[in-house]
Amino acid sequence: MNIQESRILFEKAKEYIPGGVNSPVRAFKSVGGTPRFINKGNGSKIFDVDGNSYIDYICSWGAIILGHAEISVISAVRDAMENGTSFGAATPLEVELAETIVDAVPGIEQVRLVSSGTEAVMSAIRLARGYTNRNRIIKFEGCYHGHADSMLIKAGSGAATFGIPDSLGIPADIAKYTTVVPYNDLEAVKQVMDTDVAAIIVEPVCGNMGVVLPQEGFLEGLREITTEYGSLLIFDEVITGFRLSYGGAQQVYGITPDITCLGKIIGGGFPIGAYGGKREIMECISPIGGVYQAGTLSGNPVAVQAGLITLKMLSIIGVYEFLDKHTTKLVDGIQKAAKKAGVTITINRMASMFSVFFTETSVTNYSTAMTSDSEKYAAFFNSLLNDGIYLPPSRLEAWFVGLAHTAEDIEQTIETVERAFSRLK
Ligand code: KE4
């Protein structure tokens, strides 16, 4: 595969942008090779600057569930842009998007739009602290909630409840308020719980250590513990919102959090995030409450228009069944191909998101996710990439199936996976 233009661009990009990318995972560090510079997407495919085409299973990390350059999104956005792109004032469409989200997501009675998932989580954390007048946050190892200081924390040593920074530039005095425990481990939560915990934040189905599902009783247990201690339960549904179902993971599992964070899909590929919850909690937000949060481009009319069209399309009966059918076909095909090639894998899947782990261990948390062989994943990734299939450039991310993936795409992917597995032996 000729990737000369990507190579040239990457060298130039490294002159002007740290690492040549605007988000670290795009640099292909954990899989090696040259990141592809993409200049076009259409439907299930993306095209790089050398003219190579790929069936895309990143889908902008889940945001592009309708497929790239979806015609109704493009035409609605074009119309919206002709009326101007940002006013820094209230606009009618953001009311419509808020109403749509409130109607769709069980735990949201009021919602505030922001411009990224990180901003949604950062604001939700501040809101939880302001509402409860408490400081501590509990999060789970392997869950990623964006790059706000209090979220870039890793587990302290042993039973120490104090988190330690997972990035330079985070003061210990901030890190100490975040405690990190293993996913799916309610006992560990109980050991560190106290009445200074403002909130427990969780990806109800994790997509950031690869896909890891909540074990029976885990989410219910978090709901019980937070209620018992008067802490808030925050579901970070930036990935799972409108992905797992129209009401997100909380609709699938029947657990209602106090605050929900959203992003990705609700912007249809434009910069967006949102956080919402019970009215009593949300009314603590400025300008009516004392918790401050603001944003120049919050509720941006172009992003909101793209999000509205996307959610309208997802509300059509049968959409999630379609996604389910295609994902089942793909996952079954990968399983069969691995068996045929004698390659040991574990697949975790929920609805139209899944991950392939190169391990025989069942993957239920971060430490088991890390048993996935990184060299095998890198070889698998590069074999598929060079054969026109674009996977996440990290073994700890998710594949996403969208409405634009056709039966032919699925067939072609399975055939390509078979070739990749045979090369792995
Ligand atoms: P953003 O700030 O990147 O819009 O959202 C942060 C975020 C929050 N919560 C969850 C559950 C998330 O998955 C994310 C961001 N997801 C990653 C991919 N797993 C974004 C990709 C990247 O960092 O480039």
Side-chain angles (χ1 to χ4, degrees):
M1 178 181 265
N2 169 35
I3 58 168
Q4 190 56 13
E5 286 306 311
S6 280
R7 281 205 182 94
I8 293 166
L9 263 173
F10 191 38
E11 290 314 308
K12 181 174 181 183
K14 284 189 275 191
E15 281 300 304
Y16 300 104
I17 305 169
V21 290
N22 283 309
S23 199
V25 70
R26 302 178 191 172
F28 279 23
K29 265 182 88 172
S30 72
V31 292
T34 301
R36 302 302 195 264
F37 281 66
I38 305 300
N39 59 6
K40 185 171 183 280
N42 192 288
S44 61
K45 303 222 176 19
I46 52 176
F47 304 84
D48 69 18
V49 288
D50 291 286
N52 303 304
S53 78
Y54 306 88
I55 299 174
D56 178 22
Y57 289 101
I58 296 186
C59 303
S60 184
W61 304 99
I64 303 294
I65 195 168
L66 299 187
H68 293 286
E70 202 282 329
I71 189 66
S72 46
V73 171
I74 298 298
S75 55
V77 161
R78 193 177 284 130
D79 293 347
M81 285 197 294
E82 280 165 7
N83 294 326
T85 56
S86 177
F87 310 108
T91 61
L93 283 185
E94 59 198 277
V95 181
E96 194 180 336
L97 181 58
E99 183 182 15
T100 302
I101 291 171
V102 166
D103 288 348
V105 184
I108 296 184
E109 293 175 347
Q110 277 205 325
V111 64
R112 173 61 68 84
L113 299 177
V114 292
S115 298
S116 72
T118 292
E119 200 181 350
V121 168
M122 182 175 74
S123 309
I125 297 286
R126 184 180 310 128
L127 172 59
R129 286 171 163 159
Y131 176 77
T132 61
N133 194 25
R134 299 178 181 185
N135 298 313
R136 292 186 59 213
I137 299 293
I138 294 173
K139 75 175 287 286
F140 295 90
E141 191 179 32
C143 287
Y144 175 70
H145 304 289
H147 62 88
D149 282 358
S150 60
M151 292 292 101
L152 292 181
I153 309 296
K154 60 185 170 202
S157 56
T161 57
F162 286 178
I164 47 182
D166 203 10
S167 163
L168 295 178
I170 297 171
D173 278 351
I174 288 181
K176 72 183 182 185
Y177 289 117
T178 303
T179 300
V180 182
V181 292
Y183 195 79
N184 275 320
D185 188 342
L186 284 174
E187 279 319 303
V189 174
K190 289 171 185 168
Q191 278 171 20
V192 298
M193 201 62 198
D194 69 22
T195 51
D196 189 34
V197 171
I200 294 179
I201 184 168
V202 67
E203 289 184 69
V205 170
C206 189
N208 285 294
M209 50 177 138
V211 174
V212 175
L213 276 63
Q215 288 177 324
E216 185 72 30
F218 177 59
L219 297 178
E220 293 81 351
L222 295 182
R223 182 65 281 175
E224 283 160 20
I225 292 168
T226 45
T227 303
E228 181 191 343
Y229 277 83
S231 309
L232 299 189
L233 179 59
I234 302 174
F235 271 13
D236 179 347
E237 296 222 43
V238 167
I239 288 182
T240 56
F242 295 95
R243 166 66 58 183
L244 303 190
S245 79
Y246 194 64
Q250 55 197 272
Q251 183 175 65
V252 172
Y253 289 96
I255 305 280
T256 304
D258 299 297
I259 300 176
T260 301
C261 300
L262 298 170
K264 299 183 194 279
I265 287 174
I266 66 165
F270 282 78
I272 202 163
Y275 64 104
K278 294 172 178 149
R279 180 182 298 278
E280 177 202 343
I281 298 171
M282 295 305 290
E283 288 182 343
C284 292
I285 293 280
S286 173
I288 45 177
V291 178
Y292 191 73
Q293 179 268 313
T296 303
L297 295 175
S298 295
N300 173 271
V302 180
V304 164
Q305 178 62 79
L308 264 174
I309 296 289
T310 301
L311 300 192
K312 279 200 175 79
M313 301 273 283
L314 292 175
S315 69
I316 295 168
I317 305 289
V319 155
Y320 289 94
E321 289 72 16
F322 174 92
L323 289 170
D324 207 49
K325 191 170 99 226
H326 274 202
T327 311
T328 300
K329 195 162 166 39
L330 178 54
V331 168
D332 289 352
I334 295 171
Q335 296 276 23
K336 288 193 185 91
K339 199 173 169 69
K340 190 171 139 192
V343 173
T344 304
I345 61 168
T346 294
I347 296 184
N348 285 354
R349 174 234 170 146
M350 183 71 184
S352 56
M353 62 191 273
F354 68 93
S355 294
V356 177
F357 298 94
F358 286 88
T359 180
E360 59 193 6
T361 314
S362 69
V363 178
T364 58
N365 58 22
Y366 184 68
S367 54
T368 47
M370 289 300 281
T371 65
S372 178
D373 185 311
S374 52
E375 282 174 26
K376 278 192 183 154
Y377 182 81
F380 180 67
F381 168 87
N382 282 294
S383 171
L384 284 160
L385 184 71
N386 292 316
D387 277 355
I389 308 290
Y390 198 83
L391 302 186
S394 158
R395 61 191 162 127
L396 302 178
E397 295 283 358
W399 302 35
F400 295 103
V401 176
L403 290 171
H405 286 107
T406 64
E408 292 72 28
D409 290 331
I410 302 295
E411 268 317 304
Q412 184 182 334
T413 305
I414 292 168
E415 284 161 20
T416 312
V417 164
E418 282 171 354
R419 267 199 308 281
F421 281 146
S422 63
R423 290 173 188 149
L424 275 186
K425 279 172 62 175

